[in-house]
Amino acid sequence: MPTPVLEFDEVRKRFAPDRLVLDGLRLEVLPGETVALVGPSGCGKTTALKLANRLLEPDGGVVRVFGRPAAEQEPVALRRRIGFVIQEGGLFPHWTVRENVEAVPRLLGWTPERRRERSDAMLATVGLPAGAFAPRRPASLSGGERQRVGVARALAAAPSLVLMDEPFGALDPIARREMQKEFLAWRTRWDAAVLLVTHDLGEAFRLADRVAVMASGRIRQVGPPDTLRREPADAFVREFVSEFLA
Amino acid sequence: MSGLSRFLWERRDEILALTGEHLVLVAVSAAIATAIGVPLGVALTRRPGLARPVLGFANTVQAIPSLALFGFLIPVPVLGGIGARTAIVALVVYSLLPILRNTHAGILSVEPAVVEAADGIGMTRGERLRLVELPLAFPIVLAGIRVAVVVGVGLATIAAAIGAGGLGVLIYRGVATADHRLILAGALPAAALALALDFLLGLVARRWGPRR
Ligand SMILES: Nc1ncnc2c1ncn2[C@@H]1O[C@H](COP(=O)(O)OP(=O)(O)OP(=O)(O)O)[C@@H](O)[C@H]1O
Ligand SMILES: [Mg+2]
């Protein structure tokens, strides 16, 4: 079996002494794989993502990234190798679309020509032609356009691991379906491992190779969509899946 | 020409020289206060526990009547004495609070999601400050500097009491001789100077502020 790109090994995390948010989280994301992390609001999905790029530190267990404990890797260098789409978008409001997309390449010291070439390509990938969109600022974009820029920014330096926190969360159902279709099309062009957080099980089933159902800080079941549908591991998963199927 | 205009015109060389002195007092003290207040304001956002006591202390110092502060400083070694240096020290003390407070508030006003994005894509703390936080806080910081400068122009007139020069010289002489025209010869250029500096800094805010 190949070395996982990202691995949570019995990870525990608490924000208050009496309340474990993650309680023995186990999950692997293999090279080239899309794993969706689903679960009710507040179950610890965002917390898990932030442990992967060391925005948070675990209280127990080990998080391994690129085959090595994250704790042993310098946080800034680690984060530049991981694409990160944050839940609220988090675009830099004083920068143009192009400047936002070129943020990581710029931190990495790419030449302006190489950056430009890359941002043109990324913007085309997410369906925002550079000619029309590159000079605009986030405030002038629609919610969906902003989320596309967030995705382009996360992918610009060709990371081999991408963390996506509700990347299509702010969209209406129609725009959401559109973005999901595009995601599947982009996906054939990058071989990164993707951990995709969503609370929408339908989205998880459409986009992911494997789906991990999370509740109260643990993974209840992880497997291909079909397995979850046919052989739910417990009552919680059955309930969770049946609500989507209904 | 009215009496006042002729009076001012005849003293134009002295008024101009004193306006120059005044401008130097205000500009030097605002520059020093900015050099201290901006880094200190940033530092306070990194140590929230210190923010309250330090801002509170700066507030209290600000409440000392200015003439008294000038007086207190005269016997202080190095910083004090008679002359422009003491005046600049006192003006720095007064200019510091608005700059400090606005820098602190400006950095804290940056959206948490934006700060998190800066960290999440791998900016160092210095890069985050230089590329994201300071540019976004710039209009608020500059508003603090504007307040400091406008208030400083007024306060600097009092500095003449300790021999620092500036337009206060004419005002004091006018008060001592009960000559309204002399008082106005100091007060009018001071008011014009305050308005002009405020206008200039407004241009700076528009020209170099972040666009959104
Ligand atoms: N910095 C923090 N301090 C204290 N509690 C926190 C912090 N961050 C998260 N929590 C708590 O931890 C729990 C898990 O939060 P998390 O953001 O991981 O949930 P989530 O699964 O991403 O939820 P959602 O689907 O609503 O985004 C929540 O109860 C939240 O209130
Ligand atoms: Mg979340």
Side-chain angles (χ1 to χ4, degrees):
Chain A
M1 201 173 96
T3 313
V5 180
L6 171 61
E7 183 184 359
F8 296 93
D9 188 355
E10 288 295 328
V11 170
R12 286 190 308 281
K13 176 69 188 173
R14 54 162 57 91
F15 291 107
D18 57 329
R19 201 171 151 257
L20 274 174
V21 169
L22 299 182
D23 183 10
L25 179 72
R26 282 183 157 282
L27 183 65
E28 294 175 352
V29 185
L30 300 177
E33 184 185 36
T34 302
V35 173
L37 188 55
V38 298
S41 184
C43 72
K45 303 182 297 291
T46 298
T47 303
L49 282 198
K50 288 181 183 171
L51 287 165
N53 64 7
R54 296 196 67 187
L55 287 176
L56 293 172
E57 300 297 336
D59 294 308
V62 185
V63 179
R64 285 188 201 88
V65 184
F66 308 127
R68 286 170 52 213
E72 290 173 9
Q73 304 182 52
E74 206 278 307
V76 167
L78 179 71
R79 290 170 193 159
R80 290 177 186 183
R81 295 179 63 195
I82 300 177
F84 186 40
V85 183
I86 86 167
Q87 195 162 4
E88 301 85 7
L91 297 181
F92 302 118
H94 57 310
W95 285 359
T96 62
V97 165
R98 185 184 296 287
E99 286 166 337
N100 268 282
V101 174
E102 291 183 357
V104 181
R106 181 175 163 192
L107 295 177
L108 292 171
W110 291 19
T111 63
E113 298 75 43
R114 188 170 166 218
R115 281 189 336 229
R116 199 182 168 81
E117 207 173 291
R118 185 69 190 175
S119 54
D120 280 340
M122 286 319 307
L123 285 171
T125 303
V126 299
L128 302 175
F133 285 92
R136 290 173 61 180
R137 273 165 222 275
S140 77
L141 302 177
S142 73
E145 288 162 351
R146 246 175 263 160
Q147 292 199 314
R148 287 165 197 250
V149 177
V151 171
R153 181 176 69 181
L155 300 177
S160 44
L161 172 61
V162 180
L163 310 171
M164 304 181 118
D165 199 349
E166 296 278 3
F168 316 128
L171 303 181
D172 62 74
I174 296 169
R176 201 175 168 110
R177 284 302 280 265
E178 189 60 32
M179 290 289 282
Q180 290 168 0
K181 262 188 238 146
E182 288 179 29
F183 176 91
L184 290 172
W186 314 329
R187 205 61 191 90
T188 60
R189 267 172 282 164
W190 14 288
D191 52 6
V194 177
L195 182 57
L196 169 82
V197 163
T198 173
H199 60 247
D200 175 351
L201 194 65
E203 179 165 284
F205 279 6
R206 276 189 287 275
L207 301 187
D209 303 306
R210 292 191 302 144
V211 176
V213 180
M214 191 172 172
S216 43
R218 301 179 71 101
I219 301 297
R220 292 303 188 89
Q221 183 172 8
V222 53
D226 256 1
T227 311
L228 263 70
R229 262 190 287 245
R230 290 208 206 102
E231 304 152 34
D234 60 22
F236 177 85
V237 177
R238 183 178 306 120
E239 179 102 348
F240 201 80
V241 172
S242 69
E243 264 171 44
F244 160 66
L245 294 176
Chain B
M1 214 192 273
S2 79
L4 178 61
S5 310
R6 186 168 330 111
F7 182 87
L8 295 178
W9 181 248
E10 282 162 1
R11 282 161 187 75
R12 61 187 182 280
D13 289 342
E14 189 184 16
I15 291 174
L16 220 59
L18 292 174
T19 304
E21 282 180 23
H22 207 92
L23 184 62
V24 168
L25 283 178
V26 172
V28 170
S29 55
I32 295 173
T34 303
I36 301 172
V38 172
L40 191 57
V42 170
L44 289 184
T45 63
R46 309 298 190 234
R47 302 176 159 272
L50 281 183
R52 233 177 194 291
V54 171
L55 290 173
F57 176 73
N59 238 329
T60 312
V61 171
Q62 180 103 2
I64 302 173
S66 47
L67 192 54
L69 182 63
F70 284 111
F72 286 143
L73 279 171
I74 291 176
V76 175
V78 186
L79 296 178
I82 290 283
R85 193 176 49 193
T86 310
I88 286 173
V89 171
L91 287 173
V92 167
V93 168
Y94 283 109
S95 306
L96 204 54
L97 178 69
I99 296 174
L100 184 64
R101 192 176 40 200
N102 279 34
T103 303
H104 182 253
I107 299 281
L108 290 186
S109 76
V110 179
E111 259 180 86
V114 172
V115 175
E116 184 154 272
D119 289 336
I121 68 167
M123 288 192 188
T124 63
R125 299 187 76 171
E127 284 163 344
R128 186 179 95 192
L129 184 65
R130 184 164 50 82
L131 300 173
V132 177
E133 291 174 310
L134 280 178
L136 289 172
F138 178 79
I140 301 176
V141 175
L142 195 73
I145 297 176
R146 259 169 108 168
V147 169
V149 165
V150 172
V151 171
V153 171
L155 282 175
T157 57
I158 298 169
I162 56 166
L167 291 163
V169 169
L170 296 173
I171 299 176
Y172 276 99
R173 212 189 292 153
V175 170
T177 59
D179 184 341
H180 285 160
R181 292 176 308 175
L182 260 182
I183 295 177
L184 285 174
L188 290 178
L193 188 62
L195 290 176
L197 289 174
D198 189 48
F199 177 73
L200 272 178
L201 290 172
L203 285 186
V204 170
R206 237 166 302 146
R207 174 66 185 78
W208 283 287
R211 290 200 288 133
R212 286 172 179 247

